[in-house]
Amino acid sequence: MAGGLLRGRRVAVTRGKAGEDALSDRLRELGAEVVAVPAIATAPPDSWDELDGALRDLPSFDWIAFASATAVEATLGRLAALGLPPPAPAVRLAAVGQATAARLRELLREADLVPAEARGAALAQAVGALAAGRRVLVPRAAEGRPELVDGLRAAGAEVVAATCYRTVPAPPSAVAPLAGRLERGEVDAVAFASPSAG
């Protein structure tokens, strides 16, 4: 039975605290006990200029496509810091997955679009079908993968990709407990949830 393939196994998953958690959810469905290891943290971008310019021009956008819950938090936090209003209802909101959609719901309002798969390429395909010839803001990590932006551009959208945060290594104290658990045989496997969590 699929639900028990990993029963009795303990899997450490390296990730940031606000990342999409589809991997951990799937491991739990398979019966594993998941040990969250915060291997990455976030920091402000090197410059706010790109994002600030887009946020000051927010009414000109048709869509905002959020690729992570962290992007939601950083973008809305920056709007508040600038004293700007939140996006008007006319600006449609897309979220890459359920964790991002939940954070958007908590901080602002319900997403207008959430693809079935929590992947940038799936978000690009879903939004791209509706955004040809329209302006789309993609607030993202400095190290963000290209699938979302490239997919939207290929669909004919005018995309503004603006850095709203950077991923940085978590302090050694956050990862140190994993070494002890590995030495004591308390973890059966380590799963790296993103390239920056390695």
Side-chain angles (χ1 to χ4, degrees):
M1 178 175 166
L5 288 175
L6 296 178
R7 190 160 313 285
R9 303 286 184 176
R10 195 171 287 129
V11 180
V13 178
T14 61
R15 63 181 337 106
K17 67 178 180 64
E20 290 297 322
D21 212 14
L23 173 61
S24 293
D25 289 347
R26 183 63 182 137
L27 288 168
R28 286 186 189 98
E29 286 172 11
L30 293 171
E33 177 188 338
V34 174
V35 178
V37 180
I40 57 174
T42 60
D46 291 330
S47 168
W48 288 108
D49 292 349
E50 207 174 45
L51 183 64
D52 288 358
L55 295 178
R56 289 189 175 102
D57 196 27
L58 205 51
S60 75
F61 287 93
D62 300 288
W63 284 88
I64 305 174
F66 292 103
S68 70
T70 303
V72 171
E73 294 166 0
T75 302
L76 297 179
R78 190 61 184 169
L79 272 170
L82 294 171
L84 296 171
V91 179
R92 300 183 71 190
L93 308 176
V96 73
Q98 293 304 321
T100 300
R103 197 65 181 133
L104 194 52
R105 187 181 314 115
E106 289 168 18
L107 297 179
L108 184 60
R109 67 176 192 260
E110 197 75 37
D112 296 291
L113 188 150
V114 183
E117 290 182 76
R119 296 182 307 112
L123 182 59
Q125 184 175 11
V127 176
L130 304 168
R134 302 191 182 276
R135 294 192 85 207
V136 181
L137 172 60
V138 180
R140 56 185 293 190
E143 311 79 10
R145 295 174 60 172
E147 290 87 356
L148 176 56
V149 171
D150 290 351
L152 288 170
R153 287 185 175 140
E158 179 190 340
V159 181
V160 174
T163 301
C164 63
Y165 69 97
R166 293 177 295 123
T167 55
V168 295
S173 59
V175 184
L178 176 60
R181 294 189 85 159
L182 287 168
E183 287 173 8
R184 294 189 297 274
E186 296 174 0
V187 172
D188 298 295
V190 179
F192 295 93
S194 72
S196 52

